[in-house]
Amino acid sequence: MSKLHVTTTINGEPTEFLCDARETMLDVLRDRLGLTGTKEGCGSGDCGACSITVDGRLVCACLMFGAEAEGSQIGTIEGLAEGEKLHPLQKRFIELAALQCGICTPGFLVAAKALLDRNKNPTETEVRYWLAGNLCRCTGYDKIIRAVMDVAAELRGATR
Amino acid sequence: MAKVVLTYSFARQFAGGKTEHEVSGQSIRHLVRALDERFPGIGDRLNEDMAVAIDGVIHQNAFLEKIAPDSEVCFIPALQGG
Amino acid sequence: MSSQHYKWIGTRPNRPDGADKVTGRARFGADFNMPGQLVGKVLRSPHAHARIKSIDTSKAEALHGVKAVVTAKDFPEQPNQIVPAGEMQANLRDVTRNVMAREKALYDGHAVAAVAATTSEIASEALALIKVDYEVLPHVIDVDDAMKDGAPILHDHLRTDGLTPPSDKPTNIAKRLEFVKGDIAAGLAKADVVIEREYKTAAVHQGYIEPHATLASATEDGQVQVWSTTQGHFQVRGFCSRLLNIETSQIRVTATEIGGGFGGKTVVYLEPVAIRLSQKSGKPVKMVMERSEVFRASGPTSGGTLRVKIGATRDGRIVAADTTIALQSGAFPGSPVGPACMCSFACYDIDNIKVIGFDVVSNRPKVAAYRAPGAPIAAWAVESTIDLVAEALRMDPIDLRLKNAARKGTKTHYGPTFNTIGMVETLEAAKNSPHYKTPVKPGHARGVAAGFWFNVGADSSAAAHVGEDGTVTVISGNPDIGGSRASLALMAAETLGVDYDKVRPVIADTSSIGFNFVTGGSRVTFATGLAVVNAVRDMIENLKGRAAKIWEVEPDAVIWENGYAKPASSNVGKFEPLSLAQLAAQAGKTGGPINGHAQLNAQGAGPGFGVHIVDLSVDRDTGIVTVERYTAAQDVGTAIHPSYVEGQLQGGVAQGVGWALNEEYIYDAKGRLQNAGFLDYRMPVASDLPMIETVLVEVPNPSHPYGVRGVGEVPIVPPMAAIGNAIARATEVRMLDLPMSPPRLSAALDAMAPKRAAE
């Protein structure tokens, strides 16, 4: 079986990998590149645990072939913090206890950042619908929604 | 004498249908031994998969737990949590 | 409230594992790998009930890249009796058959063989090459059908335990339980109002987002290492030891970070198979379930059929309560019918009670624990019926419950007399909540329900070590499923009198700390917390001894206060207090390392009560229910880290909303699961829910030094009935079956429509 050679950018770093034609981006990230922060909950695009961004667009890595990453800018949870400084969303998730077991957390953070990149001032309803593709079984979403709303307000204050 | 309380179906199966028994003994181990003398075979079942409530406090495993003379000791189905 | 005199307890610091979990660094079950590892996969039965006549694995074994194949033949037969395995009471005959089918496949998804191969693709190809010769048998899914005469029998040897006289007839009813208090007929005779209904609930899955995953490495010298996502690595060790005849000391199990469990990760599925494949292949073997396998072959909790009859006098006193509860146990005996029976009327002080329970096998996956196992099912039926009584008597539902609430001295129908409990306080807190005091908005309706759970104590071990700079490591053995590291560190810091961030909590593997029972039964903060407090106290005794040596005084002349050794009084002499760091620096000179240890079997967990209030609206055309406002009140003992206590309540409510409105196992006529994925097994998403308000009623538990009471399970008990009661008030349709999904509710509303038109 000959493999495909893919050239892409992951979290700002130029990256090359070989993958099978039928291999998902999720498997490439986890099994070939060791980026296991992106999680698999279902493999069918229903839980959002594998949320990544592709050229700024929010995508379930389990629904994308690795070969489709050719020439793209990929963003994963491992690229959210800047150096040793956590992203405000990461910081607020910890402070507000917006995670319990933590398996869904990387997906929620990537999805929430994608929201705030588009919409600086989302309503609670907008946050709830944007994050409706991410399943959390522990928290009842309450503290997650509060953390995202809080950070949105914080970032608006900072840019003003 | 401690008051030992068995569940209704358990009492019917192993203790002639009587749910409340006056039993003397200083620990659960003694109570079970005394009950087994009265109702041969009941001891294994009580040791096997039952929890014990001593004066309202549930113990998962109370083999050596001390019993006051006026204690209420209830054998109930074992519990498992999620 | 009760925690105001503490420095750390009751505060909300960042959890110690927070940074790992928001950066993707935390390693969960599927994130562990070893050099040269193989991929293990399981072949599963497509039939609900079939005799396995033969299994031919020769073609699979011949496939290039396949290193091992196992079937039931690779697992020793086990006795048909209840034995302890890692402190769980288990029938190992059944456990080994659930891990790998023997004579028969008993449900769709039942494991029949497994392979280990160099790649995932080869493993999948190999599964397709295994030929299983099945004789398909008639199957039974529904619990009522399984109890009928002439039903297909799953286990020829099974007889109903608890029958007098005993029966020798093959049956699917594994157990009959009966609890009686007072005289039910006499009670009913006194009643002015008697309400009787029959209810059904569907099997629902725990729905943890992380699938089961394990990595096993068996070496030639007989040692085994396992990494597993589990609520209890000591139980994994215990089960694998029994199932594979390996001594416990030869098995070292590391609990990975765990992506949810809710009871579903207290048993073994993959671990014994991965070990056996590793033994046969001589390589490490990694196994990860697909989501469909999680639904088909792990969990769920029981569905059931319940009949409830409640009689009350005109003034609102409940005088008789009668219920029969039949629960699915899945393919092997062991539903939570015992706790369901005991929890049913535990919230109330009623003179005459009769409860009958049945544990019933059918061709479904063997049930696993799910958050307060059994209690939510009983509460659905009982709390719905109590609401009907309130309606019939035109009483406020909280007032009716207050009038009948269990309190200190109430004798329960299962035997024990309650000590100090918080049912009345919780009802009053709900009644006084901002939510209940706000009038119901037009177009909305309000429902109320209560719930009870025992909580569990049991075995825990802990250790505390002082480093040379005076900072502290606290070691325990329960996987952190929802912030327990933070709670344990808070209690250690409080006890020792040092800052929270000077305490680093660590979860050790099975070879590095003494035995710990599962993370379950809401026990970790209570029981393991107690072990941690005792370990720290043990360390403090050691520290006082060191100060005494330095000062050349007797150990009891030294006290420990706010992180310092101090002279007990001025009579002892004039000494500058010694800090933990100062004592640690001199440890070598005063007797070596300073550590503390504790092990215990924690008693007195103390039961918890919850009262929930929901406001909702119903779209009469579609049957869609929108939860508009929700409040959960609960007696939580002392809230060690209030954010995580609130989180337990909020998470329990969300699971309850799913159980109430959407979640169910759906089988086709052939007994195959039809909705084994998150798209069709519809769990609540963020847009389905409002914020969830919490009222923490802090009545400290006298059996714990800081008053801790388990909190994780109670909040899933009341939601289904609270929602059903609100729907009844919104629509005048009383739903008796769960889930109250849009198709079912709209059908019920349509059935009502002609009646409404005629009025």
Side-chain angles (χ1 to χ4, degrees):
Chain A
M1 250 185 303
S2 69
K3 294 206 164 26
L4 301 169
H5 177 262
V6 179
T7 305
T8 185
T9 305
I10 298 181
N11 299 328
E13 296 292 328
T15 306
E16 292 176 59
F17 58 83
L18 294 173
C19 72
D20 217 80
R22 56 187 168 173
E23 206 168 316
T24 66
M25 190 63 203
L26 178 58
D27 288 343
V28 168
L29 287 171
R30 291 181 53 83
D31 299 341
R32 296 202 184 271
L33 303 176
L35 294 172
T36 54
T38 305
K39 304 299 179 192
E40 175 161 0
C42 66
S44 54
D46 297 315
C47 78
C50 65
S51 297
I52 59 170
T53 55
V54 180
D55 297 329
R57 207 161 61 89
L58 186 62
V59 167
C60 284
C62 71
L63 297 183
M64 172 183 169
F65 286 120
E68 292 180 272
E70 178 68 37
S72 301
Q73 295 278 340
I74 306 286
T76 74
I77 184 65
E78 287 89 351
L80 204 58
E82 280 181 36
E84 63 174 10
K85 198 162 163 270
L86 292 178
H87 186 277
L89 279 165
Q90 292 173 309
K91 199 163 160 279
R92 211 77 187 110
F93 264 55
I94 300 175
E95 287 166 356
L96 288 191
L99 57 143
Q100 281 177 33
C101 79
I103 192 83
C104 70
T105 309
F108 266 98
L109 287 167
V110 169
K113 179 169 183 297
L115 168 65
L116 298 187
D117 285 347
R118 272 166 190 72
N119 184 347
K120 304 272 177 249
N121 192 9
T123 63
E124 183 189 328
T125 305
E126 283 170 338
V127 176
R128 286 187 180 276
Y129 275 86
W130 181 270
L131 295 177
N134 293 76
L135 287 176
C136 169
R137 192 61 157 171
C138 294
T139 64
Y141 304 102
D142 185 298
K143 294 184 192 303
I144 294 175
I145 305 300
R146 287 180 200 277
V148 175
M149 301 283 292
D150 256 34
V151 171
E154 182 190 326
L155 293 178
R156 284 198 306 278
T159 53
R160 230 170 254 152
Chain B
M1 295 283 253
K3 184 171 81 177
V4 171
V5 184
L6 306 174
T7 69
Y8 182 80
S9 49
F10 195 80
R12 287 219 312 178
Q13 245 181 309
F14 296 99
K18 192 165 172 274
T19 55
E20 297 196 0
H21 303 265
E22 295 289 323
V23 188
S24 59
Q26 293 166 338
S27 72
I28 294 292
R29 174 165 54 173
H30 295 150
L31 295 189
V32 170
R33 203 180 289 153
L35 279 167
D36 197 59
E37 276 166 22
R38 267 184 235 179
F39 308 106
I42 198 171
D44 284 348
R45 283 294 292 257
L46 292 174
N47 282 330
E48 195 176 81
D49 56 349
M50 304 288 269
V52 188
I54 304 168
D55 298 320
V57 177
I58 294 180
H59 297 60
Q60 301 286 17
N61 191 341
F63 192 57
L64 301 174
E65 217 61 39
K66 291 270 175 288
I67 306 300
D70 56 345
S71 276
E72 175 201 73
V73 176
C74 308
F75 288 89
I76 62 173
L79 297 170
Q80 194 208 333
Chain C
M1 282 225 266
S2 58
S3 54
Q4 61 197 197
H5 55 286
Y6 296 128
K7 181 166 182 212
W8 290 106
I9 285 170
T11 64
R12 302 174 187 242
N14 292 345
R15 61 194 284 169
D17 52 335
D20 276 353
K21 283 183 176 161
V22 298
T23 55
R25 277 195 204 96
R27 293 172 83 198
F28 290 82
D31 301 338
F32 282 77
N33 295 295
M34 281 183 87
Q37 76 188 19
L38 304 175
V39 178
K41 290 199 181 210
V42 176
L43 181 69
R44 298 185 180 279
S45 168
H47 305 295
H49 195 191
R51 192 170 308 286
I52 299 171
K53 290 159 76 179
S54 65
I55 303 178
D56 180 358
T57 60
S58 55
K59 281 188 180 151
E61 280 164 49
L63 185 68
H64 189 71
V66 172
K67 302 295 179 188
V69 180
V70 296
T71 65
K73 282 184 192 151
D74 294 283
F75 298 86
E77 180 58 293
Q78 298 289 343
N80 182 28
Q81 65 188 51
I82 308 272
V83 296
E87 284 228 342
M88 306 279 249
Q89 299 289 323
N91 183 325
L92 293 179
R93 178 202 173 275
D94 295 345
V95 175
T96 196
R97 277 166 177 75
N98 197 38
V99 166
M100 199 57 74
R102 267 173 198 264
E103 305 82 8
K104 296 204 283 187
L106 290 162
Y107 54 93
D108 168 46
H110 197 165
V112 293
V115 302
T118 49
T119 70
S120 174
E121 290 74 18
I122 295 172
S124 297
E125 271 178 66
L127 291 185
L129 292 173
I130 296 174
K131 170 126 184 55
V132 185
D133 189 8
Y134 291 107
E135 178 195 345
V136 178
L137 302 170
H139 69 276
V140 61
I141 293 289
D142 185 72
V143 66
D144 299 321
D145 293 341
M147 292 173 78
K148 282 180 190 153
D149 284 338
I153 295 292
L154 272 72
H155 305 283
D156 293 332
H157 69 278
L158 193 65
R159 302 291 180 272
T160 307
D161 180 31
L163 287 186
T164 34
S167 157
D168 199 36
K169 226 175 71 179
T171 177
N172 292 322
I173 304 171
K175 189 187 262 185
R176 182 187 183 279
L177 290 169
E178 187 167 348
F179 301 84
V180 175
K181 176 188 173 190
D183 180 341
I184 193 75
L188 285 168
K190 280 188 219 155
D192 299 311
V193 175
V194 175
I195 307 275
E196 182 172 8
R197 293 285 188 281
E198 191 172 306
Y199 302 86
K200 269 185 171 280
T201 75
V204 294
H205 198 274
Q206 295 81 350
Y208 32 83
I209 308 300
E210 180 200 30
H212 297 269
T214 194
L215 170 61
S217 174
T219 45
E220 292 71 8
D221 58 3
Q223 296 190 57
V224 175
Q225 284 211 64
V226 178
W227 291 260
S228 174
T229 171
T230 175
Q231 288 174 252
H233 39 316
F234 290 88
Q235 279 61 41
V236 170
R237 183 182 74 172
F239 277 118
C240 291
S241 164
R242 289 280 192 168
L243 294 177
L244 299 167
N245 290 337
I246 307 171
E247 291 166 348
T248 55
S249 60
Q250 297 297 312
I251 308 177
R252 181 178 190 177
V253 186
T254 303
T256 68
E257 294 304 323
I258 173 171
F262 313 107
K265 289 178 183 165
T266 55
V267 285
V268 290
Y269 301 105
L270 298 177
E271 293 87 350
V273 180
I275 293 174
R276 202 71 194 86
L277 285 169
S278 180
Q279 286 175 327
K280 279 186 94 170
S281 65
K283 306 247 189 234
V285 175
K286 179 171 172 176
M287 302 182 80
V288 181
M289 278 197 199
E290 290 179 4
R291 178 54 55 181
S292 61
E293 296 181 282
V294 174
F295 276 114
R296 287 169 72 203
S298 78
T301 192
S302 314
T305 300
L306 306 91
R307 189 191 49 75
V308 178
K309 189 179 197 176
I310 292 177
T313 54
R314 210 163 285 116
D315 63 349
R317 183 83 195 129
I318 298 173
V319 288
D322 180 1
T323 184
T324 303
I325 302 172
L327 295 190
Q328 304 155 359
S329 64
F332 301 97
S335 73
V337 69
C341 287
M342 293 191 280
C343 291
S344 59
F345 298 114
C347 289
Y348 305 106
D349 183 3
I350 304 170
D351 287 339
N352 307 293
I353 298 179
K354 184 175 166 191
V355 178
I356 296 174
F358 296 101
D359 183 36
V360 185
V361 297
S362 63
N363 295 111
R364 296 167 168 272
K366 166 73 177 75
V367 300
Y370 181 21
R371 227 169 179 161
I377 304 168
W380 157 243
V382 168
E383 292 293 308
S384 295
T385 311
I386 288 193
D387 197 59
L388 283 160
V389 172
E391 278 184 342
L393 295 172
R394 296 177 193 283
M395 269 184 84
D396 174 273
I398 293 186
D399 287 343
L400 174 67
R401 286 173 172 84
L402 270 170
K403 197 167 178 103
N404 295 284
R407 53 193 81 217
K408 185 175 179 171
T410 295
K411 183 164 168 50
T412 62
H413 61 283
Y414 51 93
T417 304
F418 278 130
N419 212 320
T420 306
I421 52 169
M423 177 64 178
V424 171
E425 288 85 344
T426 309
L427 280 164
E428 280 167 354
K431 194 176 174 184
N432 294 323
S433 67
H435 185 167
Y436 207 68
K437 287 186 158 177
T438 308
V440 185
K441 284 187 186 167
H444 296 181
R446 182 167 294 169
V448 172
F452 166 90
W453 178 248
F454 298 96
N455 297 323
V456 171
D459 288 359
S460 285
S461 309
H465 300 171
V466 185
E468 56 268 35
D469 59 355
T471 60
V472 178
T473 310
V474 167
I475 305 158
S476 60
N478 282 109
D480 180 353
I481 208 160
S484 59
R485 283 184 183 91
S487 312
L488 299 179
L490 281 167
M491 285 185 273
E494 188 75 45
T495 307
L496 196 53
V498 299
D499 285 356
Y500 169 78
D501 62 8
K502 302 293 181 210
V503 178
R504 172 65 38 183
V506 167
I507 297 155
D509 63 65
T510 54
S511 301
S512 308
I513 186 78
F515 184 89
N516 281 270
F517 192 52
V518 289
T519 295
S522 307
R523 64 174 290 277
V524 175
T525 305
F526 170 71
T528 304
L530 192 57
V532 164
V533 169
N534 287 356
V536 171
R537 286 177 173 174
D538 184 41
M539 192 170 83
I540 289 172
E541 285 312 304
N542 198 325
L543 287 161
K544 283 157 63 179
R546 303 306 174 93
K549 282 185 185 171
I550 292 167
W551 292 335
E552 297 182 89
V553 301
E554 289 302 312
D556 58 9
V558 181
I559 57 164
W560 188 261
E561 213 172 70
N562 295 324
Y564 287 86
K566 296 177 182 171
S569 71
S570 52
N571 297 338
V572 176
K574 206 165 155 49
F575 299 108
E576 278 301 302
L578 286 166
S579 71
L580 190 55
Q582 286 168 319
L583 288 165
Q586 301 184 59
K589 292 179 194 158
T590 58
I594 302 169
N595 302 326
H597 297 272
Q599 48 276 320
L600 50 83
N601 179 3
Q603 314 292 3
F609 294 85
V611 178
H612 291 197
I613 308 158
V614 61
D615 289 6
L616 54 75
S617 59
V618 179
D619 181 328
R620 286 179 174 272
D621 295 328
T622 61
I624 291 174
V625 172
T626 304
V627 177
E628 308 280 0
R629 187 171 183 184
Y630 204 107
T631 297
Q634 188 174 318
D635 65 328
V636 298
T638 303
I640 300 296
H641 191 307
S643 297
Y644 290 106
V645 174
E646 293 160 6
Q648 287 294 324
L649 269 57
Q650 291 162 339
V653 168
Q655 285 184 316
V657 169
W659 198 335
L661 295 178
N662 278 301
E663 295 178 33
E664 63 178 317
Y665 266 45
I666 300 170
Y667 284 91
D668 70 7
K670 289 184 168 170
R672 292 175 184 170
L673 185 62
Q674 292 299 288
N675 59 335
F678 282 140
L679 190 62
D680 299 314
Y681 183 91
R682 177 73 166 74
M683 307 198 315
V685 300
S687 55
D688 293 332
L689 294 168
M691 293 299 183
I692 297 160
E693 296 159 56
T694 57
V695 180
L696 308 184
V697 183
E698 291 194 88
V699 183
N701 177 3
S703 302
H704 188 282
Y706 296 118
V708 171
R709 191 183 293 281
V711 296
E713 291 170 289
V714 172
I716 202 174
V717 183
M720 286 71 81
I723 289 168
N725 295 342
I727 290 173
R729 279 155 206 261
T731 64
E732 291 169 46
V733 170
R734 174 63 61 171
M735 297 297 285
L736 300 174
D737 298 348
L738 291 179
M740 299 173 279
S741 56
R744 289 189 194 201
L745 182 53
S746 70
L749 287 164
D750 289 349
M752 269 286 287
K755 219 169 109 192
R756 290 173 66 90
E759 272 167 13

